[in-house]
Amino acid sequence: YDNPHFNQTIDKKTGYRTRAILCMPIKADDQVIGVLQLINKISGGGVFTSDDEDVMNIFLAIAGPLLAESNLYSQIQGRSKGKGVEGTAGERDGGSRTGSDSVSSKRVMPGFAEEGEEED
């Protein structure tokens, strides 16, 4: 909780206690497409190490390009390839989205509004 970059809001809302975080960008073609965050390492005294970073880098080097090419990622970004995923709007309406029903290009999970933004 001493790091000025850490936002305690979620811990306070949920009662969870964050002790350690390893957070790294998910990239595809040198473009950040997401973030992967590991919380509260169980072994090794609870501290993430450079070995943990190396393993996560290897995983992200594989996962990033796969995620970028996935149908679900395209739908989240509002670029449906016309292949609906079960239970999504793309399946219900044939993959086309128009008018006020269009997909927002910015998604924020509840409780994770960016600084200075209000949640819906």
Side-chain angles (χ1 to χ4, degrees):
Y1 282 56
D2 294 336
N3 189 312
H5 301 298
F6 179 70
N7 182 345
Q8 299 177 21
T9 305
I10 300 302
D11 279 13
K12 288 178 180 176
K13 284 182 180 180
T14 63
Y16 189 79
R17 173 73 175 168
T18 301
R19 291 178 178 81
I21 297 174
L22 176 57
C23 186
M24 299 176 79
I26 302 171
K27 294 182 178 182
D29 297 324
D30 293 324
Q31 179 181 356
V32 176
I33 61 168
V35 176
L36 181 64
Q37 177 176 292
L38 303 179
I39 301 174
N40 294 352
K41 183 175 178 179
I42 296 172
S43 64
V47 177
F48 291 105
T49 65
S50 59
D51 287 341
D52 296 322
E53 289 181 43
D54 291 343
V55 169
M56 197 159 152
N57 266 322
I58 292 167
F59 171 77
L60 292 174
I62 297 165
L66 290 173
L67 178 62
E69 291 300 317
S70 76
N71 187 45
L72 181 58
Y73 179 76
S74 295
Q75 287 180 345
I76 290 169
Q77 296 301 312
R79 301 184 310 252
S80 177
K81 296 177 184 176
K83 300 176 190 171
V85 173
E86 185 175 341
T88 66
E91 179 185 350
R92 288 189 303 274
D93 65 13
S96 64
R97 315 269 305 168
T98 59
S100 63
D101 199 30
S102 66
V103 175
S104 170
S105 64
K106 184 173 183 179
R107 303 277 181 160
V108 178
M109 292 177 60
F112 290 89
E114 293 181 16
E115 222 176 288
E117 291 184 347
E118 295 283 326
E119 289 185 51
D120 293 334

